[in-house]
Amino acid sequence: MKFKYKDQIVIASSKNEAVNRIKLLKKDKDYIFKKAENGDTSIFKLPKEALMIKDENGETPTHYIACQLHKKLLSISKELLMVKANNGTTPVHVIALHASRHNDKLLVLQLPKDLLKIKDNDGQTPVHDLAYTGVDEIRKLPKELLSIKNNDGDTPLDILRLVGDPRK
């Protein structure tokens, strides 16, 4: 059964079990975020609710690991990749934003296409974010992903034209 305790939803067999699991998660929150910040993918073995806890910015441990662009992100639950932070960004947005720093700009393009349609509070999709890094390969994406406009009315291709491909 699903139980809601304060801001957290937990799957447990009783309300008492749910409350105890939430208290344990909150106690271990710093530990989980520290492991995630260091790119430790062993946290993906934890119960899903442990990976749904949020920091003060609304980011989950998956947001933190996304900064490291770990390939393990390709095999985790889509639900974990769809969680939005306070600014509307998902871990997929984070992957796109950090792609140029890690020279792995194509990791985003390997994710399910429906995850590339999710907009943040500025209307940016992960494809918009990837366009800011100048990755010309986004042109190979389906037209439906390239025609999505952000809140300023720009498509990923508009952004790519402004930024250019830094490899050229």
Side-chain angles (χ1 to χ4, degrees), residues 48-94:
K48 193 185 300 184
E49 58 261 17
L51 300 173
M52 298 295 263
I53 58 175
K54 294 186 174 188
D55 68 9
E56 62 279 354
N57 297 317
E59 293 181 338
T60 65
T62 309
H63 284 84
Y64 282 56
I65 285 191
C67 293
Q68 309 297 323
L69 293 185
H70 201 284
K71 300 244 188 272
K72 182 92 173 171
L73 292 164
L74 297 173
S75 61
I76 67 169
S77 161
K78 279 174 59 173
E79 183 182 359
L80 294 174
L81 293 171
M82 295 173 69
V83 177
K84 289 189 173 191
N86 298 347
N87 62 2
T89 59
T90 65
V92 180
H93 287 88
V94 176

Side-chain angles (χ1 to χ4, degrees), residues 47-160:
K48 193 185 300 184
E49 58 261 17
L51 300 173
M52 298 295 263
I53 58 175
K54 294 186 174 188
D55 68 9
E56 62 279 354
N57 297 317
E59 293 181 338
T60 65
T62 309
H63 284 84
Y64 282 56
I65 285 191
C67 293
Q68 309 297 323
L69 293 185
H70 201 284
K71 300 244 188 272
K72 182 92 173 171
L73 292 164
L74 297 173
S75 61
I76 67 169
S77 161
K78 279 174 59 173
E79 183 182 359
L80 294 174
L81 293 171
M82 295 173 69
V83 177
K84 289 189 173 191
N86 298 347
N87 62 2
T89 59
T90 65
V92 180
H93 287 88
V94 176
I95 293 168
L97 289 167
H98 289 273
S100 62
R101 186 167 53 107
H102 290 277
N103 291 322
D104 195 354
K105 300 175 183 180
L106 304 182
L107 179 64
V108 175
L109 304 179
Q110 297 172 43
L111 292 165
K113 301 305 177 233
D114 58 327
L115 295 176
L116 301 180
K117 294 179 185 178
I118 300 173
K119 291 185 173 188
D120 66 14
N121 296 351
D122 295 322
Q124 303 274 98
T125 66
V127 181
H128 285 90
D129 294 332
L130 195 58
Y132 281 112
T133 69
V135 178
D136 201 47
E137 284 85 351
I138 68 167
R139 295 178 190 279
K140 298 174 186 171
L141 288 170
K143 194 172 195 164
E144 67 178 288
L145 293 172
L146 298 175
S147 61
I148 298 173
K149 293 184 178 186
N150 64 17
N151 294 351
D152 293 328
D154 295 322
T155 67
L157 292 177
D158 295 333
I159 294 167
L160 188 61

